[in-house]
Amino acid sequence: MDKVNNSLYNRLNVTFNKIKLKSYEEKLLQVKSISLSDQTDAQILRVSQELKKNVQNGIFLENLLVEAAALVNEAAFRTIGYRLYDKQLVAGMSLYEGNMVEMQTGEGKTLSAVLPVYLNALAGKGAHVFTFNDYLARRDMEWMGLIYRYLGLTVSCIQERQTVLERKEAYAADVTYVTAKQACFDYLKDSLVYDSNNRVQRPLQFVLVDEADSILIDEARIPLVVAGDLGDSNRDFSHMLDIVKQLMLGRDYDTDDNKRNVYLSEEGAEKVEGLLGCGNLYEIENSDILTELNCMLHAETLLNKDIHYIVRDGKVQLIDEFTGRIADKRHWPDGLQAAVEVKEGLLVQSAGKILGSMTLQHFMSLYNNICGMTATAQSSTEEFKDTYNLDVVVIPPNKARQRIDYSPLIYTNQQSKWKAIVNEIMSIHHTGRPILVGTASVDESNQLAEELNGKGVTCHVLNAQHDQQEAEIIAKAGELSAVTVSTNMAGRGVDIILGGGEPEAYQKVAALGGLYVIGTNLHESVRIDKQLRGRAGRQGDPGCSKFIISLEDDLLVKFGLQAVLPEEYRNWQKDIPLEGTKIQKIIQHIQYVIEGQNYEIKKMLNKYSDIIEQQRKILFNTRNEVLLNQIQPNILVEREFEFYQNLCNEFGQDKIQETEKYVFLVQLDHNWADYLDYVSYIKESIHLESIGNENPLDVYNRQIIQAFERIDEKIQSDVVNVFLNMDLSEGAIDLDMEEMRIPSATWTYIINDNFFQNRVSLI
């Protein structure tokens, strides 16, 4: 978007926001005109129950909004001691209308969410609240649950290690707090049951997404997977590591300017062909070899320990690029995961057979109504609208923001930057003012902490290696003299309270200027930088933020700052930060360009995943109808009628239909798993098509559409073959056969598919 159009777009958004906020003024006055202070607890409960009856009798929720808001306001005061600010009530109304609400850190998003959730929960069909992690799901359920229960609703939360029965009970509550990933994993598992009573979720009705920018944008298109032990990866990458180590950067292979992809040169391809004795590497019969080589080359060249992953307990554990924390249960695609494990000398862990997969973006589309809230939504207004049809509404802070956001200090080199960072920390720490430092990697955070400790500055380190203590550490970051070194946005959702909540300590910290936030690197998204800045200045508290960066930082090197660097900065004195706004505007422009590129990449990748989701819906709609006995497969009747009649005569029609239903479900699942295997193979190798004149997306679509068109016939044939091959000699139906094997166990994980993103990013 050019500068003129961008300016117009921003003005239109500001105008829209003013009109939207004004539309709530009358309703807000109506809410405040209702006094419930003279009502007993029992009377308020009866009013709430009456609202519930009205909803279930068909009264529109819109007509109950004002009364519901008054009830929630009074209930909050009687249970947790808070009345909602006007801004919180307005935020709740906006959320009810299905918007993306932006509220600054510390402005009470958690309480604002109660109104829309309560109103939607009155229908008795379940309302979900997606939180950033399990800790927040439990915390918010316990805290806000007091309000819901006071008003006669049930409330629960989903946690990682709950049993199937515990999950079913939790989803049966009126309000359920859960992470988006847990909810999606549960949906995938429900899609694979053979008895409808084993499902844990009800039909998906309403969801409110907290920290929505992270869930709906950063994590939205990462595939979530349920896998089983039907088959294992048989790839052996150990020999390929030896081959890759013999290749030389710049001669045998190279990377693109952004270090998003690595590719062989002609000389490198010839060298590999000679080492492997495989002939032309790009012939179709060598596609597996070429895929293994690309995975190993990518792992060796572009993935770095303590930046992209850590090794802990004998396993490779991925680091989330947005939070800097361990990305729980996350794998790269099977081939790349194995390549990294071989690189680190670890036992290769099989990812198992993928039984089902879905992105959060597609999962969100299954809900009838969604809304969300975050502290940083404006910079992603277009994406929220295009992807989820959510308008962004910005709620002004209840108290004017006092935080000072300084312009970044920019040094020419890394050494000068880190020297300045350490000096800044020591200078501020000497006053007793609390400091939060946001770093870009585990390695950076550990090195900085080590240097500070060597200079007598004790600090708390919060990174991927200490993620379990996250909430406790981040909550203490506002105490006197506290120095906290964190990767990116660890501790998200937890307020940093000045002075640790003690009034006297609060006054001392406030007098010192509040929390001092230092960022050591800019991020690809301006939104992530704003999140880090937003840790200071909670609810009108004083605070400040400053980024201290260098021209040698990975982001700026990766995206070619040197090529556009003005002449006056090329010979700048190293220990003095660059002056003038020109360099800051150039860096800001780079960030906006990167954001635009990443958005376009995501839109391209959605084209690869959208068709799979459409196919999944078609197939699993049929599966659901069979599971719920809404339709019968009737495959044997149509294809082997005489055989079917004989079976019915011997075992009874009900028994045969019940057996055919089960066989059909198993064979559908097997074929879908095989199909996902095929899709994965196509995705890993499709970039080779760009060597020719064909568009890879066109080739991909053509191949998977052709494959999907054969699934129905294959399922029916497999069902017939199971019946024809089953052992009936003992006068009973014996399904103990290879074709009917189902997983003895399933597990879930997330595919970190940047590998695939790299390959299609320039298409």
Side-chain angles (χ1 to χ4, degrees):
M1 189 180 292
D2 60 47
K3 193 173 289 186
V4 173
N5 286 336
N6 190 47
S7 176
L8 176 60
Y9 185 72
N10 289 336
R11 288 202 301 273
L12 289 173
N13 283 335
V14 170
T15 301
F16 166 80
N17 202 73
K18 288 180 179 178
I19 294 171
K20 200 69 176 172
L21 292 177
K22 192 166 185 62
S23 70
Y24 300 122
E25 290 179 359
E26 184 179 345
K27 284 189 173 67
L28 184 61
L29 290 173
Q30 291 174 6
V31 172
K32 296 177 76 172
S33 70
I34 299 175
S35 176
L36 298 171
S37 57
D38 59 343
Q39 301 285 299
T40 66
D41 293 346
Q43 287 173 322
I44 287 179
L45 177 59
R46 280 197 295 273
V47 173
S48 181
Q49 291 171 337
E50 191 62 34
L51 287 188
K52 192 170 186 178
K53 287 180 184 177
N54 289 337
V55 172
Q56 294 171 356
N57 287 334
I59 302 271
F60 290 123
L61 293 180
E62 169 70 25
N63 297 329
L64 306 176
L65 176 60
V66 170
E67 194 169 1
L71 279 174
V72 166
N73 198 17
E74 185 65 27
F77 178 70
R78 296 193 185 192
T79 54
I80 64 173
Y82 292 99
R83 290 198 185 278
L84 279 73
Y85 302 129
D86 289 358
K87 304 291 173 57
Q88 288 175 310
L89 287 168
V90 167
M93 294 175 190
S94 187
L95 287 165
Y96 161 73
E97 290 184 350
N99 293 305
M100 177 59 56
V101 166
E102 177 175 294
M103 294 180 74
Q104 295 303 307
T105 300
E107 287 293 311
K109 291 190 292 292
T110 304
L111 185 53
S112 299
V114 174
L115 171 57
V117 174
Y118 166 72
L119 201 49
N120 280 276
L122 290 175
K125 297 179 180 179
H128 295 171
V129 181
F130 286 171
T131 63
F132 189 64
N133 55 37
D134 272 8
Y135 162 76
L136 293 174
R138 185 178 67 255
R139 185 202 71 177
D140 292 354
M141 181 274 292
E142 291 172 349
W143 188 23
M144 298 298 106
L146 296 170
I147 303 173
Y148 295 120
R149 292 188 183 102
Y150 180 84
L151 293 171
L153 299 182
T154 56
V155 61
S156 63
C157 71
I158 300 289
Q159 298 286 283
E160 173 76 26
R161 303 192 182 281
Q162 284 177 330
T163 64
V164 170
L165 181 58
E166 287 171 333
R167 287 171 182 270
K168 191 168 186 175
E169 291 174 349
Y171 281 118
D174 294 313
V175 178
T176 306
Y177 285 85
V178 57
T179 67
K181 292 170 190 172
Q182 289 278 351
C184 187
F185 282 141
D186 286 334
Y187 176 83
L188 287 171
K189 289 179 180 178
D190 277 357
S191 299
L192 295 170
V193 300
Y194 299 109
D195 181 343
S196 59
N197 292 320
N198 292 332
R199 286 179 168 175
V200 300
Q201 288 181 341
R202 294 187 281 173
L204 305 174
Q205 298 295 330
F206 167 83
V207 62
L208 183 148
V209 186
D210 195 4
E211 305 293 357
D213 57 329
S214 176
I215 294 170
L216 298 185
I217 293 180
D218 299 340
E219 300 279 346
R221 59 154 315 281
I222 299 173
L224 278 67
V225 169
V226 58
D229 56 0
L230 285 175
D232 294 332
S233 170
N234 57 5
R235 286 177 174 165
D236 178 13
F237 284 86
S238 55
H239 70 291
M240 202 57 76
L241 179 61
D242 296 331
I243 299 292
V244 167
K245 283 187 176 295
Q246 296 179 58
L247 303 180
M248 185 178 296
L249 177 64
R251 186 186 69 188
D252 300 321
Y253 68 91
D254 214 332
T255 64
D256 58 26
D257 291 339
N258 298 334
K259 294 192 182 298
R260 278 182 167 159
N261 199 7
V262 59
Y263 50 87
L264 283 176
S265 64
E266 288 187 20
E267 189 175 349
E270 290 176 4
K271 186 172 183 177
V272 171
E273 289 166 357
L275 291 169
L276 292 175
C278 62
N280 188 341
L281 195 57
Y282 296 99
E283 291 291 340
I284 188 67
E285 60 266 22
N286 288 327
S287 58
D288 283 350
I289 293 175
L290 185 57
T291 298
E292 290 178 9
L293 176 67
N294 280 329
C295 287
M296 197 70 247
L297 196 56
H298 190 102
E300 183 72 9
T301 308
L302 301 181
L303 296 178
N304 300 309
K305 185 177 177 181
D306 287 341
I307 294 177
H308 301 106
Y309 63 91
I310 65 170
V311 176
R312 185 164 66 182
D313 300 329
K315 296 180 180 179
V316 169
Q317 297 185 307
L318 278 62
I319 297 173
D320 188 293
E321 62 184 301
F322 296 104
T323 66
R325 301 182 308 128
I326 284 292
D328 188 41
K329 291 186 175 182
R330 186 169 298 179
H331 294 184
W332 284 293
D334 201 12
L336 186 59
Q337 183 79 18
V340 175
E341 288 165 347
V342 168
K343 169 188 172 182
E344 294 296 337
L346 303 173
L347 180 68
V348 174
Q349 307 281 330
S350 169
K353 184 89 167 182
I354 293 179
L355 307 177
S357 178
M358 176 179 280
T359 66
L360 286 178
Q361 181 175 319
H362 289 135
F363 178 59
M364 296 302 304
S365 70
L366 301 177
Y367 281 87
N368 288 334
N369 297 292
I370 73 169
C371 61
M373 55 189 189
T374 177
T376 49
Q378 286 184 84
S379 57
S380 300
T381 296
E382 182 182 358
E383 192 165 351
F384 281 126
K385 185 64 176 177
D386 288 352
T387 307
Y388 302 100
N389 196 31
L390 292 171
D391 290 315
V392 171
V393 176
V394 181
I395 307 298
N398 186 56
K399 295 180 180 178
R401 193 182 75 187
Q402 294 188 53
R403 188 183 74 236
I404 301 170
D405 294 328
Y406 293 108
S407 298
L409 292 180
I410 306 167
Y411 290 85
T412 58
N413 64 93
Q414 289 265 5
Q415 185 178 358
S416 298
K417 176 186 95 168
W418 285 107
K419 180 181 176 182
I421 289 170
V422 171
N423 288 340
E424 185 85 353
I425 292 171
M426 293 185 66
S427 173
I428 298 299
H429 178 63
H430 181 71
T431 69
R433 187 177 184 181
I435 303 167
L436 173 66
V437 186
T439 63
S441 69
V442 174
D443 193 38
E444 272 191 5
S445 61
N446 287 336
Q447 285 185 23
L448 179 58
E450 186 178 339
E451 185 166 356
L452 290 172
N453 286 327
K455 293 181 180 296
V457 178
T458 302
C459 58
H460 299 288
V461 181
L462 181 57
N463 59 31
Q465 294 172 323
H466 305 85
D467 50 330
Q468 292 182 1
Q469 297 86 29
E470 178 178 313
E472 181 182 347
I473 293 174
I474 207 71
K476 294 179 178 178
E479 294 180 352
L480 273 167
S481 299
V483 177
T484 308
V485 179
S486 166
T487 46
N488 285 13
M489 284 306 296
R492 197 166 181 187
V494 179
D495 274 352
I496 299 176
I497 301 174
L498 301 188
E502 297 180 8
E504 187 176 339
Y506 172 89
Q507 294 299 331
K508 289 181 180 179
V509 173
L512 291 169
L515 182 66
Y516 193 103
V517 172
I518 298 175
T520 65
N521 292 266
L522 296 176
H523 300 93
E524 291 192 7
S525 172
V526 174
R527 179 169 46 79
I528 306 296
D529 294 341
K530 289 180 178 178
Q531 288 171 4
L532 181 58
R533 290 186 186 277
R535 301 316 298 257
R538 168 188 173 274
Q539 287 190 4
D541 286 343
C544 74
S545 70
K546 180 187 291 183
F547 280 85
I548 303 176
I549 63 174
S550 88
L551 302 183
E552 293 179 348
D553 289 352
D554 288 345
L555 176 74
L556 302 181
V557 172
K558 185 177 177 181
F559 289 92
L561 174 64
Q562 289 297 330
V564 295
L565 190 65
E567 186 65 35
E568 64 259 37
Y569 297 126
R570 294 186 183 275
N571 297 310
W572 198 272
Q573 188 174 338
K574 289 188 176 181
D575 288 337
I576 299 176
L578 303 181
E579 296 175 355
T581 59
K582 185 185 294 185
I583 186 66
Q584 294 177 14
K585 289 180 179 178
I586 291 172
I587 291 173
Q588 187 180 55
H589 177 70
I590 288 174
Q591 283 186 292
Y592 285 137
V593 168
I594 295 169
E595 283 186 332
Q597 287 180 353
N598 288 339
Y599 183 36
E600 291 304 315
I601 289 170
K602 282 192 279 188
K603 288 201 290 188
M604 169 58 71
L605 291 171
N606 284 339
K607 294 177 181 178
Y608 282 82
S609 61
D610 285 350
I611 189 170
I612 301 298
E613 175 60 14
Q614 292 168 15
Q615 292 170 339
R616 187 200 66 80
K617 285 181 177 179
I618 292 170
L619 199 64
F620 279 80
N621 182 59
T622 300
R623 189 190 194 282
N624 192 51
E625 290 176 338
V626 171
L627 179 71
L628 299 176
N629 297 316
Q630 294 171 350
I631 61 172
Q632 289 291 329
N634 290 329
I635 296 170
L636 291 178
V637 171
E638 296 173 3
R639 303 181 68 147
E640 295 287 343
F641 182 73
E642 186 175 342
F643 178 62
Y644 171 76
Q645 287 284 64
N646 292 335
L647 288 175
C648 288
N649 291 336
E650 184 173 355
F651 299 103
Q653 185 178 26
D654 289 347
K655 178 65 174 176
I656 296 305
Q657 287 187 341
E658 178 188 338
T659 303
E660 184 180 19
K661 168 186 170 181
Y662 178 66
V663 172
F664 173 83
L665 295 174
V666 172
Q667 296 312 309
L668 184 150
D669 291 345
H670 282 186
N671 277 276
W672 181 246
D674 289 342
Y675 178 70
L676 291 178
D677 253 358
Y678 176 73
V679 170
S680 178
Y681 167 76
I682 295 298
K683 286 175 75 172
E684 286 192 7
S685 59
I686 196 67
H687 73 296
L688 300 176
E689 299 295 339
S690 60
I691 295 172
N693 294 321
E694 290 196 79
N695 184 309
L697 180 59
D698 293 340
V699 176
Y700 172 83
N701 284 339
R702 183 169 66 247
Q703 291 181 353
I704 66 171
I705 287 171
Q706 290 171 352
F708 185 75
E709 287 174 346
R710 296 192 291 268
I711 280 187
D712 188 54
E713 171 61 28
K714 181 70 165 53
I715 292 170
Q716 293 191 41
S717 296
D718 289 350
V719 169
V720 171
N721 288 335
V722 166
F723 275 92
L724 292 178
N725 294 326
M726 68 174 51
D727 185 0
L728 302 174
S729 61
E730 299 295 325
I733 296 174
D734 184 2
L735 294 177
D736 185 15
M737 52 202 301
E738 182 70 21
E739 295 85 349
M740 288 299 294
R741 191 158 64 97
I742 61 175
S744 57
T746 60
W747 57 93
T748 56
Y749 62 90
I750 304 167
I751 296 180
N752 196 56
D753 66 345
N754 287 341
F755 182 46
F756 179 52
Q757 173 176 319
N758 295 339
R759 292 170 164 221
V760 302
S761 62
L762 300 179
I763 292 172

